């Protein structure tokens, strides 16, 4: 049975029909996984997202309107989960960049402590900067 060809499958899932849900899962899981892969470029993560989408549908079936195509609704869930995953990766990347910067800066501090002449020369060079250039550099660092 094709989920997309069965217009009543959404109505059946709405009333917690497990057979209808299983049918939807069997016929559309691979499609949802491939759709997620187009966003996340990781087959395992795409499969996890597809699983989460089906779980979300089942646990929140009360929010589903059976007049809406169930596959379209499920695809929207996958899309939202992919967007959340990608935002999460952005946060991780941003935090990673900050950790790298902090590590480099702490190593630079140690270097200056070991080489006070270089620190003095750097301070002299910084003092020669125009006020706005100095402010921008200090805020960036």
């Amino acid at each position: 049975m094709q989920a997309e060809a069965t217009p009543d499958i959404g109505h059946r899932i709405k009333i917690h029909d497990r057979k209808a849900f299983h049918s939807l899962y069997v016929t559309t899981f691979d499609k949802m996984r491939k759709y997620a892969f187009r966003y996340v470029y990781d087959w395992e993560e795409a499969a996890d997202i597809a699983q989460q989408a089906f779980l979300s549908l089942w646990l929140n079936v009360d929010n589903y309107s059976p007049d809406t195509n169930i596959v379209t609704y499920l695809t929207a869930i996958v899309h939202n989960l992919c967007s959340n995953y990608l935002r999460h990766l952005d946060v991780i990347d941003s935090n990673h960049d900050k950790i790298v910067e902090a590590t480099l800066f702490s190593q630079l501090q140690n270097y200056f402590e070991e080489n006070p002449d270089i620190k003095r020369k750097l301070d002299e060079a910084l003092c020669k900067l125009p006020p706005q250039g100095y402010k921008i550099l200090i805020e960036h660092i």
Side-chain angles (χ1 to χ4, degrees), residues 47-103:
D48 287 348
I49 288 171
Q51 288 281 8
Q52 289 173 8
F54 280 97
L55 180 62
S56 178
L57 172 63
W58 186 252
L59 294 177
N60 300 295
V61 75
D62 295 337
N63 297 334
Y64 168 68
S65 169
D67 297 329
T68 303
N69 180 299
I70 191 79
V71 176
T72 303
Y73 188 79
L74 191 57
T75 303
I77 294 172
V78 170
H79 178 81
N80 290 336
L81 290 170
C82 288
S83 296
N84 292 344
Y85 173 76
L86 294 174
R87 273 194 296 277
H88 176 71
L89 288 183
D90 284 344
V91 169
I92 289 172
D93 285 346
S94 175
N95 289 339
H96 177 73
D97 291 347
K98 289 176 184 176
I99 290 170
V100 169
E101 285 179 24
T103 303

Side-chain angles (χ1 to χ4, degrees), residues 10 14 17 31 36 57 62 82 99 103 106 111 113 129:
K14 180 72 174 179
D17 181 334
K31 179 180 178 179
L57 172 63
D62 295 337
C82 288
I99 290 170
T103 303
S106 70
Y111 180 77
E113 289 171 6
L129 287 174

Side-chain angles (χ1 to χ4, degrees), residues 24-35:
L24 177 70
Y25 182 88
V26 168
T27 59
T28 61
F29 177 81
D30 195 49
K31 179 180 178 179
M32 295 301 129
R33 183 176 56 100
K34 287 176 183 175
Y35 181 74

